[in-house]
């Protein structure tokens, strides 16, 4: 008998130590936030719109009719924290932020408010994932949450997939998470890049990426058009893959508007700064490899013609890069993070130049070199399909 009691005693202690489910909550108590928008009202207050997932009931494998899978809740307050708390008043459930896909910020709001301070609430909220993507919108951000998605259940999910696919396959926008923006704004350059979106006004409204918003010292300072984004991504070594378009090489072509394309497979930029020179000099060498994607008026049948086309593409890209850098220097916006490189290379010199860095950056001499290697013409004989 004593033996049985001795064996049962540890089991009893284990049972007593179990915490049970006294603090458990059911899924029906939560409202899962998929996306949120931030806008400025005419009175200067903050308008917050939260998109909560609204699951539809299914029976026997059939859908739940035409009911949309989301609900948008609006709140107007003086701070993001107060506005987010007010969502409870309308939603009737405790907001859950762990599934949030995007934070949309209206362009006017981004120009008037410090983005770092606005994201402060989300950075402090332990439920929010730092991988949540941030977007600056043309016009009011709240309008994007009302768009009916094509494939995804909510437009918040669609915006996330647009950014991810555009970054990987098109090279015309950038993927910016809360963590990315926080690190960039706290760097020495204090400059961040955030994808910029517009709405296509067609039979069915559709959001699409349209360049990159430059955030300098917390606020939106400039907008990079999609045609300029590629060059910036190349210099930052963030160009995954995409198509580089260039005008025809054929001098005999009557149509100067014809464009040809190179599909990139490899892009790498080596930056060699020499800050002690007068003026400071930065050499940038960009190596590009790719396959011809389209030929409209150029023929490649031998090594000489291939080399001639490589030189043509090289000159076009060098000219574009020089143009983008010149624009950044005019605006005194250190998008490429040269200030960060100076701090890493010579902290003492950075401390001396920090107050006047905007003016110093504007006077830096950039030396641009591009190397292009066509790995394949994409055709057995490298000729265009149609003749002139």
């Amino acid at each position: 008998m004593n033996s049985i009691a001795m064996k049962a005693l540890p089991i009893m202690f284990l049972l007593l130590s179990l915490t049970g489910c006294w603090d458990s909550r059911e899924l029906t108590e939560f409202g899962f936030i998929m996306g949120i928008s931030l806008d400025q009202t005419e009175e200067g207050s903050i308008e917050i719109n939260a998109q909560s997932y609204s699951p539809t009931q299914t029976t026997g494998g059939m859908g739940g009719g035409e009911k949309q899978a989301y609900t948008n809740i609006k709140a107007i307050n003086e701070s993001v924290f107060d506005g987010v708390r007010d969502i409870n008043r309308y939603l009737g459930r405790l907001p859950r932020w762990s599934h949030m896909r995007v934070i949309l910020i209206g362009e006017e709001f981004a120009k008037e408010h410090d983005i770092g301070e606005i994201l402060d609430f989300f950075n402090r909220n332990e439920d929010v994932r730092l991988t949540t993507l941030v977007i600056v919108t043309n016009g009011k951000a709240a309008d994007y949450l009302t768009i009916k998605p094509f494939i995804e259940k909510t437009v918040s999910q669609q915006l996330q997939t647009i950014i991810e696919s555009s970054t990987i396959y098109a090279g015309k926008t950038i993927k910016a998470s809360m963590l990315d923006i926080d690190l960039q704004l706290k760097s020495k350059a204090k400059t961040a890049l955030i994808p910029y979106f517009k709405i296509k006004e067609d039979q069915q409204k559709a959001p699409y990426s349209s360049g990159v918003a430059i955030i300098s010292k917390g606020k939106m300072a400039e907008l990079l058009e999609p045609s300029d984004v590629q060059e910036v991504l190349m210099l930052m070594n963030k160009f995954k893959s995409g198509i580089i378009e260039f005008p025809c090489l054929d001098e005999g072509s009557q149509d100067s508007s014809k464009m040809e394309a190179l599909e990139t497979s490899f892009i790498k930029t080596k930056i060699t700064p020499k800050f002690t020179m007068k003026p400071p000099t930065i050499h940038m060498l960009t190596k590009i490899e790719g396959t011809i994607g389209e030929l409209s008026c150029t023929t490649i049948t031998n090594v000489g013609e291939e080399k001639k086309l490589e030189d043509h593409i090289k000159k076009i890209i060098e000219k574009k890069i020089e143009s983008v850098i010149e624009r950044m220097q005019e605006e005194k916006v250190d998008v490429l993070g040269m200030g960060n490189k100076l701090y890493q290379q010579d902290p003492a010199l950075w401390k001396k130049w920090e107050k006047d860095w905007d003016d110093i950056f504007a006077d830096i001499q950039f030396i641009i070199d591009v190397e292009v290697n066509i790995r394949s013409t994409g055709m057995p004989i490298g000729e265009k399909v149609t003749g002139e």
Side-chain angles (χ1 to χ4, degrees):
M1 187 68 180
N2 290 338
S3 176
I4 296 175
M6 290 297 292
K7 291 180 180 179
L9 193 59
I11 298 175
M12 293 176 65
F13 276 115
L14 288 173
L15 291 173
L16 290 172
S17 65
L18 294 177
T19 58
C21 300
W22 61 273
D23 61 345
S24 65
R25 289 183 175 180
E26 300 296 331
L27 286 175
T28 53
E29 297 180 41
F30 296 109
F32 292 92
I33 306 299
M34 305 302 293
I36 194 167
S37 68
L38 303 171
D39 290 296
Q40 180 172 287
T41 65
E42 294 181 358
E43 295 76 20
S45 300
I46 299 176
E47 178 184 325
I48 298 176
N49 286 267
Q51 187 168 85
S52 175
Y53 186 71
S54 178
T56 55
Q57 183 178 0
T58 58
T59 304
M62 300 299 290
E66 295 297 324
K67 180 184 176 183
Q68 63 184 19
Y70 58 89
T71 302
N72 293 334
I73 303 102
K74 175 181 175 181
I76 298 178
N77 296 83
E78 298 304 317
S79 69
V80 175
F81 185 78
D82 196 22
V84 168
R85 289 299 186 191
D86 267 2
I87 293 175
N88 294 16
R89 296 168 54 193
Y90 309 105
L91 183 59
R93 295 188 180 188
L94 182 65
R96 192 79 181 198
W97 302 94
S98 56
H99 288 62
M100 185 164 64
R101 300 299 198 266
V102 292
I103 299 174
L104 305 176
I105 302 175
E107 182 174 350
E108 293 303 317
F109 187 92
K111 290 179 178 179
E112 297 294 331
H113 294 78
D114 189 308
I115 302 298
E117 293 179 359
I118 293 301
L119 295 179
D120 183 70
F121 163 77
F122 301 104
N123 284 321
R124 295 177 185 275
N125 191 320
E126 61 182 16
D127 203 26
V128 178
R129 299 182 183 183
L130 293 177
T131 53
T132 301
L133 301 181
V134 181
I135 298 172
V136 173
T137 66
N138 173 260
K140 195 174 180 181
D143 295 340
Y144 290 73
L145 293 182
T146 63
I147 298 174
K148 185 178 179 181
F150 290 147
I151 299 176
E152 311 297 337
K153 291 292 185 181
T154 67
V155 71
S156 299
Q157 294 168 295
Q158 180 174 321
L159 290 169
Q160 180 192 31
T161 57
I162 289 174
I163 291 177
E164 291 175 345
S165 61
S166 297
T167 301
I168 296 174
Y169 302 113
K172 293 185 178 180
T173 189
I174 193 168
K175 184 178 178 181
S177 67
M178 286 175 49
L179 179 60
D180 294 330
I181 296 169
D182 192 40
L183 292 174
Q184 290 173 25
L185 291 180
K186 289 181 179 179
S187 69
K188 300 302 178 182
K190 295 181 174 60
T191 304
L193 299 178
I194 302 179
Y196 185 83
F197 269 61
K198 290 183 178 179
I199 296 177
K200 181 181 179 181
E201 300 290 347
D202 210 334
Q203 294 181 350
Q204 185 175 2
K205 290 185 177 182
Y208 66 98
S209 60
S210 181
V212 168
I214 301 175
I215 310 300
S216 179
K217 298 173 183 175
K219 298 181 180 180
M220 180 175 170
E222 191 63 44
L223 175 65
L224 278 177
E225 297 295 333
S227 57
D228 296 331
V229 173
Q230 284 189 333
E231 283 68 45
V232 172
L233 294 180
M234 288 179 193
L235 298 178
M236 297 176 68
N237 284 317
K238 291 186 177 181
F239 192 99
K240 304 295 183 182
S241 64
I243 303 297
I244 297 176
E245 290 186 321
F246 53 90
C248 283
L249 170 63
D250 189 357
E251 295 87 352
S253 175
Q254 299 299 315
D255 189 356
S256 60
S257 64
K258 284 186 176 182
M259 299 294 287
E260 300 179 321
L262 176 74
E263 183 177 7
T264 62
S265 58
F266 172 84
I267 293 182
K268 182 73 174 179
T269 297
K270 181 181 179 181
I271 300 176
T272 307
K274 295 181 179 179
F275 294 110
T276 55
M277 294 182 66
K278 293 184 180 181
T281 303
I282 296 177
H283 178 250
M284 292 184 161
L285 173 61
T286 302
K287 295 184 178 182
I288 301 173
E289 294 182 1
T291 303
I292 294 296
E294 181 179 4
L295 290 179
S296 300
C297 49
T298 303
T299 300
I300 304 176
T301 56
N302 55 58
V303 176
E305 290 177 342
E306 183 177 291
K307 181 65 170 62
K308 189 177 180 181
L309 182 59
E310 289 175 344
D311 291 339
H312 175 64
I313 298 173
K314 160 189 162 71
K315 292 176 182 178
I316 295 296
I317 297 175
E318 285 179 347
K319 187 175 180 180
K320 285 184 177 181
I321 291 176
E322 289 170 357
S323 176
V324 171
I325 291 178
E326 183 179 346
R327 180 181 169 189
M328 289 189 296
Q329 288 185 297
E330 288 176 356
E331 298 295 333
K332 297 182 179 181
V333 179
D334 185 7
V335 174
L336 303 177
M338 294 298 104
N340 300 332
K341 291 189 178 297
L342 171 58
Y343 175 73
Q344 294 167 3
Q345 188 179 97
D346 193 339
L349 185 58
W350 167 255
K351 188 175 181 180
K352 181 181 177 181
W353 285 1
E354 184 174 5
K355 290 182 180 180
D356 303 317
W357 176 246
D358 290 344
D359 295 326
I360 293 172
F361 172 76
D363 293 332
I364 290 177
Q365 181 180 356
F366 285 89
I367 301 172
I368 307 301
D369 284 321
V370 175
E371 294 179 5
V372 177
N373 179 19
I374 298 176
R375 299 181 65 89
S376 171
T377 62
M379 294 284 286
I381 56 175
E383 294 185 351
K384 52 183 181 263
V385 176
T386 58
E388 295 293 337

